[in-house]
Amino acid sequence: MRFVLISLLLAVAASTQAQTVKVLVQSSPLAGFQYHEAGELWPQLRVGDALTLVREPENPHDRNAVRVEWRGRVLGYLPRAENRSVAAEMDNGTAVSGRIAQLRESQNPWLRLLIDVFVIL
Protein backbone atom coordinates (compact mmCIF):
# COMPACT_ATOMS: atom_id res chain seq x y z
CA MET A 1 0.00 0.00 0.00
CA ARG A 2 2.77 2.41 0.93
CA PHE A 3 4.63 1.83 -2.31
CA VAL A 4 1.41 2.40 -4.27
CA LEU A 5 1.02 5.74 -2.50
CA ILE A 6 4.63 6.69 -3.25
CA SER A 7 4.17 5.70 -6.91
CA LEU A 8 1.02 7.80 -7.11
CA LEU A 9 2.78 10.77 -5.55
CA LEU A 10 5.68 10.39 -7.99
CA ALA A 11 3.22 10.48 -10.89
CA VAL A 12 1.56 13.61 -9.49
CA ALA A 13 4.94 15.27 -8.96
CA ALA A 14 6.00 14.46 -12.52
CA SER A 15 2.74 15.70 -14.01
CA THR A 16 2.97 19.03 -12.19
CA GLN A 17 6.68 19.31 -12.99
CA ALA A 18 7.46 19.83 -9.30
CA GLN A 19 11.13 19.66 -8.56
CA THR A 20 10.77 18.30 -5.01
CA VAL A 21 7.81 16.94 -3.12
CA LYS A 22 8.01 16.20 0.60
CA VAL A 23 5.46 13.84 2.07
CA LEU A 24 4.94 13.75 5.84
CA VAL A 25 5.16 10.10 6.85
CA GLN A 26 5.68 10.24 10.59
CA SER A 27 5.59 12.48 13.66
CA SER A 28 7.54 11.17 16.63
CA PRO A 29 8.98 12.27 19.92
CA LEU A 30 12.76 12.43 20.18
CA ALA A 31 14.26 9.45 21.99
CA GLY A 32 17.40 10.04 24.04
CA PHE A 33 16.88 13.76 24.65
CA GLN A 34 18.53 13.45 28.06
CA TYR A 35 21.52 11.43 26.79
CA HIS A 36 22.69 13.53 23.85
CA GLU A 37 23.05 17.24 23.03
CA ALA A 38 19.39 18.24 22.88
CA GLY A 39 19.35 19.63 26.41
CA GLU A 40 22.45 21.73 25.82
CA LEU A 41 21.14 23.02 22.48
CA TRP A 42 17.56 23.58 23.69
CA PRO A 43 17.77 27.42 23.80
CA GLN A 44 18.86 27.52 20.14
CA LEU A 45 16.27 25.10 18.71
CA ARG A 46 13.26 26.50 16.84
CA VAL A 47 10.08 24.97 15.44
CA GLY A 48 10.62 24.44 11.72
CA ASP A 49 14.39 23.90 11.97
CA ALA A 50 15.71 21.28 9.55
CA LEU A 51 16.91 18.00 11.00
CA THR A 52 19.18 15.44 9.38
CA LEU A 53 18.30 11.77 9.76
CA VAL A 54 21.25 9.38 9.71
CA ARG A 55 20.86 5.63 9.44
CA GLU A 56 22.92 3.57 11.92
CA PRO A 57 22.54 -0.08 10.84
CA GLU A 58 25.50 -1.13 12.99
CA ASN A 59 24.09 0.42 16.18
CA PRO A 60 24.55 -2.27 18.88
CA HIS A 61 21.33 -1.28 20.67
CA ASP A 62 18.96 -1.11 17.70
CA ARG A 63 19.56 -2.42 14.17
CA ASN A 64 16.90 0.02 12.87
CA ALA A 65 18.47 3.05 14.56
CA VAL A 66 17.97 6.45 12.93
CA ARG A 67 20.01 9.24 14.50
CA VAL A 68 18.56 12.76 14.57
CA GLU A 69 20.99 15.65 14.06
CA TRP A 70 20.59 19.42 14.14
CA ARG A 71 23.39 21.35 12.43
CA GLY A 72 25.70 18.35 12.76
CA ARG A 73 25.02 17.85 16.47
CA VAL A 74 23.31 14.73 17.80
CA LEU A 75 19.97 15.43 19.46
CA GLY A 76 18.89 11.80 19.87
CA TYR A 77 17.09 9.11 17.85
CA LEU A 78 13.76 8.21 16.35
CA PRO A 79 12.03 5.99 18.92
CA ARG A 80 12.74 2.29 18.52
CA ALA A 81 9.02 1.51 18.39
CA GLU A 82 8.58 3.89 15.42
CA ASN A 83 11.78 3.65 13.38
CA ARG A 84 11.43 0.43 11.38
CA SER A 85 9.61 1.91 8.35
CA VAL A 86 11.90 4.94 8.12
CA ALA A 87 14.99 2.72 8.44
CA ALA A 88 13.70 0.41 5.70
CA GLU A 89 13.04 3.34 3.36
CA MET A 90 16.51 4.75 4.03
CA ASP A 91 18.05 1.31 3.40
CA ASN A 92 16.21 1.23 0.06
CA GLY A 93 17.75 4.55 -0.93
CA THR A 94 14.71 6.73 -0.31
CA ALA A 95 15.66 10.28 0.64
CA VAL A 96 14.24 11.39 3.98
CA SER A 97 14.41 14.57 6.00
CA GLY A 98 13.13 15.89 9.27
CA ARG A 99 12.13 19.08 10.99
CA ILE A 100 11.30 20.20 14.48
CA ALA A 101 7.51 20.12 14.70
CA GLN A 102 7.05 21.10 18.32
CA LEU A 103 9.09 22.20 21.33
CA ARG A 104 7.58 21.88 24.81
CA GLU A 105 8.81 22.80 28.25
CA SER A 106 8.33 19.53 30.14
CA GLN A 107 10.15 17.57 32.80
CA ASN A 108 9.47 14.43 30.74
CA PRO A 109 12.19 14.25 28.05
CA TRP A 110 9.84 12.25 25.77
CA LEU A 111 7.50 15.24 25.59
CA ARG A 112 10.06 17.97 24.88
CA LEU A 113 10.67 17.67 21.15
CA LEU A 114 8.38 16.37 18.40
CA ILE A 115 9.91 15.53 15.01
CA ASP A 116 8.21 15.40 11.61
CA VAL A 117 9.74 12.92 9.16
CA PHE A 118 9.35 13.41 5.42
CA VAL A 119 9.99 11.21 2.38
CA ILE A 120 11.44 13.33 -0.41
CA LEU A 121 10.13 12.52 -3.86
Side-chain angles (χ1 to χ4, degrees):
M1 177 70 175
R2 184 154 195 231
F3 294 104
V4 171
L5 177 60
I6 290 174
S7 296
L8 178 62
L9 290 170
L10 282 171
V12 169
S15 70
T16 61
Q17 298 181 0
Q19 293 203 11
T20 301
V21 174
K22 289 184 177 182
V23 179
L24 178 65
V25 294
Q26 182 174 322
S27 289
S28 299
L30 178 72
F33 181 98
Q34 68 275 32
Y35 302 114
H36 300 283
E37 298 179 87
E40 173 189 336
L41 297 170
W42 180 258
Q44 300 170 52
L45 301 175
R46 300 288 178 263
V47 170
D49 281 357
L51 299 171
T52 303
L53 304 179
V54 180
R55 184 71 172 91
E56 285 188 1
E58 303 301 322
N59 185 303
H61 305 289
D62 181 5
R63 64 189 172 118
N64 294 312
V66 178
R67 186 174 68 239
V68 177
E69 295 182 355
W70 177 80
R71 299 181 183 174
R73 310 268 305 269
V74 178
L75 298 181
Y77 288 81
L78 291 183
R80 184 183 314 226
E82 301 175 19
N83 67 5
R84 185 183 313 166
S85 294
V86 174
E89 289 299 322
M90 293 175 82
D91 291 347
N92 286 330
T94 303
V96 299
S97 67
R99 75 168 177 210
I100 296 174
Q102 199 171 65
L103 297 167
R104 301 180 219 151
E105 293 290 340
S106 175
Q107 293 294 91
N108 183 340
W110 281 91
L111 300 178
R112 302 229 35 209
L113 203 153
L114 183 69
I115 302 162
D116 284 341
V117 178
F118 298 91
V119 169
I120 304 169
L121 305 174

